[in-house]
Amino acid sequence: MREQVKELWGLCFPEDSEEFKDLYFSLRYKDEINSAIVEGDILVSALQRIPYPVRLMGETISASYISGACTHPSYRSRGLMEKLLSEAHRRMYQDGVIISTLIPAEESLIEYYNRFNYFVGFQQKEELLTGNDASVDNSQTQLIFNLLDNSEESTEEVFHFIYQQLSKKECAVLHTMEDIRIIMADHFLSSGEIWAGYDEKADIHTVSFAIKNQGKLFIKEIISVNDNATGNMLNHLFRHYSVENAYYRRPCGMIRVINAPELMKLYSGSISSDCLIEVSGDKAIEDNNGLYLLTEGTCTKITDKNGYNEIPLTKLDISQLGKLIFNDKEPYISLMMD
């Protein structure tokens, strides 16, 4: 199956290099996370359900990231991707996944994925970083900057630092050690460089993924313990690459609720009073539909409202439920192989 999916990938994503495909299919792809449709002896549609931990409201939950969703050009407009996504969502539910995420390849696909109960949860961010963003308090620790390689030691350093910093956010897609290893390999494959800023105790304060292309500096990610460390890193990058500014972009990301009861149970820990939520509209995972009683720390599916007439009822479809829970969390996603 691996070679068939790789061949279909090359047909659908011709802009990807052979080196990237070799990297993806040797380190990221596994048959057990692949969903596919085969007609006769032809693989006509495929996607991968890549597992990721997600930090949400103080807990770490299981999520799957949709990658490589594609259909053979000769078999498009037949509803195959709709069928494949529905199957993938049911498989995620069976595997204990709470939410699904994806990054649409282009803006026009946002409306397409809306049809499958995805909503924009990770807001796109594009900035031109200048000297104003690099201001620092010189009374604070001055950092020493080193260029990192793809050694095991560097990979462990980057993993532990990024995991620690992202875990402090109310909602963020985290990265495993294996994932960081692949991300770094992909970045080096793109002629990128990875920098770390250390204090006098050799503790990391900031990490950046940078690429200079056609005289312009692009920062794929910069993660720091505070704004001062970010300013120090930017000053270093501007000097090292002989530029006055840098382009920073974080992609638009979408979320779909996979296990409504488990997500509402987590959400219930933040509510101030009991409430009823009626969920509807999930055609792929019908177990999500129904009436739920939320108390502090619990979520119970009930058959009807009898006996709970004094408790306010909110009716939501599965997408609206996701928006309710993630609306004020400022979800963070970065360093994905989008």
mmCIF file of all heavy atoms in Angstrom, residues 103-111 113:
data_model
loop_
_atom_site.group_PDB
_atom_site.id
_atom_site.type_symbol
_atom_site.label_atom_id
_atom_site.label_comp_id
_atom_site.label_asym_id
_atom_site.label_seq_id
_atom_site.Cartn_x
_atom_site.Cartn_y
_atom_site.Cartn_z
ATOM 1 N N ILE A 103 -4.974 21.336 7.819
ATOM 2 C CA ILE A 103 -4.634 22.640 7.249
ATOM 3 C C ILE A 103 -5.024 22.607 5.781
ATOM 4 O O ILE A 103 -4.435 21.841 4.998
ATOM 5 C CB ILE A 103 -3.128 22.943 7.395
ATOM 6 C CG1 ILE A 103 -2.770 23.096 8.877
ATOM 7 C CG2 ILE A 103 -2.758 24.214 6.633
ATOM 8 C CD1 ILE A 103 -1.290 23.292 9.130
ATOM 9 N N PRO A 104 -6.045 23.378 5.373
ATOM 10 C CA PRO A 104 -6.456 23.356 3.972
ATOM 11 C C PRO A 104 -5.339 23.881 3.070
ATOM 12 O O PRO A 104 -4.679 24.870 3.404
ATOM 13 C CB PRO A 104 -7.683 24.278 3.940
ATOM 14 C CG PRO A 104 -7.544 25.140 5.145
ATOM 15 C CD PRO A 104 -6.824 24.329 6.179
ATOM 16 N N ALA A 105 -5.121 23.204 1.952
ATOM 17 C CA ALA A 105 -4.033 23.578 1.047
ATOM 18 C C ALA A 105 -4.241 24.951 0.430
ATOM 19 O O ALA A 105 -3.283 25.625 0.063
ATOM 20 C CB ALA A 105 -3.887 22.528 -0.048
ATOM 21 N N GLU A 106 -5.485 25.363 0.312
ATOM 22 C CA GLU A 106 -5.796 26.690 -0.214
ATOM 23 C C GLU A 106 -7.102 27.170 0.405
ATOM 24 O O GLU A 106 -7.906 26.386 0.919
ATOM 25 C CB GLU A 106 -5.891 26.669 -1.740
ATOM 26 C CG GLU A 106 -6.822 25.618 -2.286
ATOM 27 C CD GLU A 106 -6.689 25.457 -3.784
ATOM 28 O OE1 GLU A 106 -5.559 25.271 -4.274
ATOM 29 O OE2 GLU A 106 -7.731 25.525 -4.457
ATOM 30 N N GLU A 107 -7.322 28.484 0.360
ATOM 31 C CA GLU A 107 -8.470 29.086 1.044
ATOM 32 C C GLU A 107 -9.802 28.545 0.541
ATOM 33 O O GLU A 107 -10.764 28.398 1.312
ATOM 34 C CB GLU A 107 -8.424 30.607 0.878
ATOM 35 C CG GLU A 107 -9.422 31.356 1.753
ATOM 36 C CD GLU A 107 -9.236 32.858 1.697
ATOM 37 O OE1 GLU A 107 -8.171 33.321 1.245
ATOM 38 O OE2 GLU A 107 -10.168 33.569 2.111
ATOM 39 N N SER A 108 -9.861 28.204 -0.734
ATOM 40 C CA SER A 108 -11.122 27.718 -1.302
ATOM 41 C C SER A 108 -11.575 26.405 -0.677
ATOM 42 O O SER A 108 -12.750 26.049 -0.728
ATOM 43 C CB SER A 108 -10.973 27.540 -2.819
ATOM 44 O OG SER A 108 -9.976 26.566 -3.116
ATOM 45 N N LEU A 109 -10.636 25.662 -0.060
ATOM 46 C CA LEU A 109 -10.978 24.375 0.536
ATOM 47 C C LEU A 109 -11.632 24.512 1.911
ATOM 48 O O LEU A 109 -12.169 23.534 2.438
ATOM 49 C CB LEU A 109 -9.733 23.498 0.647
ATOM 50 C CG LEU A 109 -9.197 22.945 -0.679
ATOM 51 C CD1 LEU A 109 -7.889 22.213 -0.461
ATOM 52 C CD2 LEU A 109 -10.225 22.028 -1.336
ATOM 53 N N ILE A 110 -11.587 25.710 2.485
ATOM 54 C CA ILE A 110 -12.232 25.908 3.785
ATOM 55 C C ILE A 110 -13.715 25.590 3.684
ATOM 56 O O ILE A 110 -14.277 24.863 4.519
ATOM 57 C CB ILE A 110 -12.015 27.355 4.288
ATOM 58 C CG1 ILE A 110 -10.533 27.581 4.610
ATOM 59 C CG2 ILE A 110 -12.888 27.643 5.513
ATOM 60 C CD1 ILE A 110 -10.198 29.002 5.010
ATOM 61 N N GLU A 111 -14.370 26.123 2.669
ATOM 62 C CA GLU A 111 -15.797 25.861 2.481
ATOM 63 C C GLU A 111 -16.037 24.367 2.231
ATOM 64 O O GLU A 111 -17.043 23.812 2.698
ATOM 65 C CB GLU A 111 -16.332 26.686 1.307
ATOM 66 C CG GLU A 111 -17.840 26.553 1.103
ATOM 67 C CD GLU A 111 -18.357 27.451 -0.014
ATOM 68 O OE1 GLU A 111 -17.589 28.313 -0.489
ATOM 69 O OE2 GLU A 111 -19.523 27.274 -0.408
ATOM 70 N N TYR A 113 -14.304 21.775 3.417
ATOM 71 C CA TYR A 113 -14.205 21.026 4.667
ATOM 72 C C TYR A 113 -15.302 21.418 5.666
ATOM 73 O O TYR A 113 -15.599 20.628 6.570
ATOM 74 C CB TYR A 113 -12.816 21.196 5.278
ATOM 75 C CG TYR A 113 -11.753 20.408 4.547
ATOM 76 C CD1 TYR A 113 -10.726 21.046 3.859
ATOM 77 C CD2 TYR A 113 -11.776 19.018 4.536
ATOM 78 C CE1 TYR A 113 -9.750 20.321 3.178
ATOM 79 C CE2 TYR A 113 -10.814 18.280 3.861
ATOM 80 C CZ TYR A 113 -9.802 18.939 3.185
ATOM 81 O OH TYR A 113 -8.850 18.223 2.512
#
